[in-house]
Each structure stands twice: as structure tokens, then as C-alpha cells.
Amino acid sequence: MLISAKLGFFYRKICTFAVGIVFFLDKLATIIHIETSTDVCSVAVSKDGFRLFDRTIPGSVKGSQASEQLGTLVEEAIDEAREKPDAVAVSSGPGSYTGLRIGMSMAKGLAYGSDAKLIAVPTLELLCVPVLLGDYDMPDDALLCPMIDARRMEVFTAVYDRALRPVMPVQAMVVDENSFKDLLKEHDIYFFGNGAKKCMDTINHLCAHYIDGITPQAKNMLPLADKRFHEEKFEDVAYFTPEYYKQYEAKLPKNLLKL
């Protein structure tokens, strides 16, 4: 009973920042959550706002093997739910081109087969969830800057306030010493995600802070997905595609480059 009470408390806490005010969900649902935007893939199940199931595929698992393991985890999630899902939530990008395609294909197939709604959860907003729920001593006007590695000094990034209102839109950015300069004059900014660490020597400012160990996880999709379900923000199962924010660059195999 104590554990359930604590879970309920944290769930309501995150719903508060997600919408700016506390609201009561009148359309609670069973939702399967799928996250594949980086090399850490995960699946979770929630019912009435509480997590029932959560599994992660290690980042060392790649390619077709990761796709097969994702399918296995989705099957386990369906068994754990013990009923058809009302919705399937999927991380919609930005992130790994291949990872996003695998996750979106899985989510759309499951939604179509279950006659469930499709919910898109922006990956950078998802990254903010564990930071907002974490025990970090931040000023009230602090800004959050999630970053996903896009190779070299480029990252997918955006800036949000602590109510997840966008301050800088999602974009692919090549980070240099002038990046975020104007915002850092007025705010403490907390940088996190797998693209942040490589940028911290370049973003050299007293108001720039780095938080380690933050990855997009399906278990953290719950409040964002429930909010979208409540607001009936659903996507077209047939036509919705991930938000890549960058053109895919195909690479030739090394043996072909030698010809």
C-alpha cells in the first residue's frame, strides 16, 4: 500500500510539470510504450497511470538481433497487460534513423493489430522526465537541454523550461563556443543525454551544468503518453513517420570503398 501511494505521488508530480497544472485523468488506459531512439531500447506497460512492466535491451545488442529482442519484449508486455492495449506509445525522434524506424514499425503494427491508438512521444521531452523527477537542486528558472548524439560535434537538441515549455525548438545543431551563449547569460542550463558530454568542454560557462547517466527509457514515457491520451492527441497509424530532423546518409560497406 505504501509503495502504491508513493508511485501515485510521483505520477501526479510529473503530470503537474507536463501540463503546467494538476489534472485528473478521466480516460485512464492500458498503454504499451516502445523506445528505440538510441542504442538503449526498452519496452514498458502502464495501466491507469501505473507501470506494470519494464524491460531494457542492452546497448551492446545491435541490428537484426535488437529487432528480434524488441519483438520478444513486446510479446512479454502484451502478456503482462493481460488485455489488448488502448494505445501504443512510441518515441518519435529525433535519434538513430534505424532505431526510430524499427520502433515505429513495431508500434504501428501493434496498434493496427490491436485496434489501438498510436501516440508519438518526442524523444527530447522524454529525456527531460528523469531530470524533472530527480533530486537535482535547480533554480526555478533553470532550463533543460537534452542532447542526442548526431556524430562529430553535431547533436539533436532543444531547450525547455521546467514545465516542458519549449524555449528553443528541436533542431540538429553543430555545437561551438557560441552555442546557447545568450540563454546562459540569464539562466542556468542543465545539459544531459548521450550527446551532452562531448559538448561540455566547448560550452564552457559557469551556468552550464552536466547531468550524467540520462537515457531515453520506455518507463519514463508514462506521464507524457497519458497526457496525450487524455488530450486525444493520436497519430495516423498508416501515415505517421518519425521526426528525423536530419537527412539520412547511407554509407557504403568498407569492402566496396576499396574497389
Side-chain angles (χ1 to χ4, degrees):
M1 183 65 70
L2 180 59
I3 293 176
S4 296
K6 287 183 178 180
L7 287 172
F9 168 77
F10 285 119
Y11 176 70
R12 286 167 177 76
K13 179 180 178 183
I14 198 166
C15 283
T16 300
F17 83 71
V19 297
I21 59 172
V22 176
F23 65 86
F24 295 96
L25 297 177
D26 58 1
K27 296 180 180 179
L28 298 177
T30 298
I31 303 177
I32 293 179
H33 310 262
I34 299 173
E35 211 302 310
T36 59
S37 63
T38 65
D39 59 350
V40 179
C41 302
S42 54
V43 176
V45 177
S46 65
K47 185 172 183 178
D48 299 346
F50 293 90
R51 188 172 76 239
L52 302 179
F53 173 90
D54 172 33
R55 296 287 188 276
T56 299
I57 301 173
S60 58
V61 179
K62 305 291 184 182
S64 60
Q65 187 178 3
S67 181
E68 291 173 5
Q69 289 197 19
L70 179 64
T72 300
L73 291 191
V74 169
E75 290 179 0
E76 292 179 13
I78 294 171
D79 290 341
E80 189 68 30
R82 298 181 183 179
E83 61 184 10
K84 286 187 177 181
D86 299 294
V88 180
V90 61
S91 185
S92 60
S96 160
Y97 183 87
T98 301
L100 289 171
R101 289 189 65 185
I102 290 173
M104 187 63 66
S105 296
M106 183 70 68
K108 291 171 74 171
L110 179 57
Y112 180 80
S114 304
D115 194 26
K117 303 297 185 181
L118 180 67
I119 298 173
V121 175
T123 309
L124 294 173
E125 290 185 27
L126 171 60
L127 272 171
C128 294
V129 172
V131 175
L132 289 166
L133 285 180
D135 188 18
Y136 301 105
D137 187 15
M138 297 182 183
D140 291 340
D141 66 344
L143 299 178
L144 308 179
C145 185
M147 288 181 164
I148 295 175
D149 190 9
R151 298 178 182 173
R152 299 184 179 88
M153 285 305 292
E154 190 171 17
V155 295
F156 299 113
T157 189
V159 177
Y160 304 92
D161 66 14
R162 294 183 64 181
L164 273 188
R165 292 183 293 253
V167 176
M168 185 186 80
V170 178
Q171 57 191 274
M173 172 190 290
V174 177
V175 176
D176 60 29
E177 62 275 8
N178 294 314
S179 301
F180 310 100
K181 187 175 181 180
D182 291 338
L183 288 173
L184 285 166
K185 290 178 181 177
E186 300 181 0
H187 302 272
D188 286 78
I189 303 181
Y190 290 79
F191 298 87
F192 47 90
N194 68 1
K197 190 173 184 178
K198 69 179 183 182
C199 300
M200 293 315 296
D201 288 339
T202 303
I203 307 172
N204 187 13
H205 196 284
L206 290 175
C207 291
H209 311 278
Y210 171 64
I211 301 175
D212 193 16
I214 303 297
T215 59
Q217 296 279 341
K219 65 182 180 182
N220 293 324
M221 297 172 73
L222 276 64
L224 302 179
D226 274 335
K227 176 178 179 290
R228 283 164 172 76
F229 189 90
H230 173 75
E231 296 173 347
E232 298 185 353
K233 290 185 177 180
F234 306 128
E235 309 300 336
D236 189 303
V237 174
Y239 297 106
F240 185 75
T241 58
E243 299 286 352
Y244 297 114
Y245 292 96
K246 183 179 176 181
Q247 187 173 1
Y248 177 65
E249 297 178 3
K251 288 187 175 181
L252 289 174
K254 292 182 180 180
N255 59 338
L256 291 180
L257 294 175
K258 296 178 181 179
L259 295 178

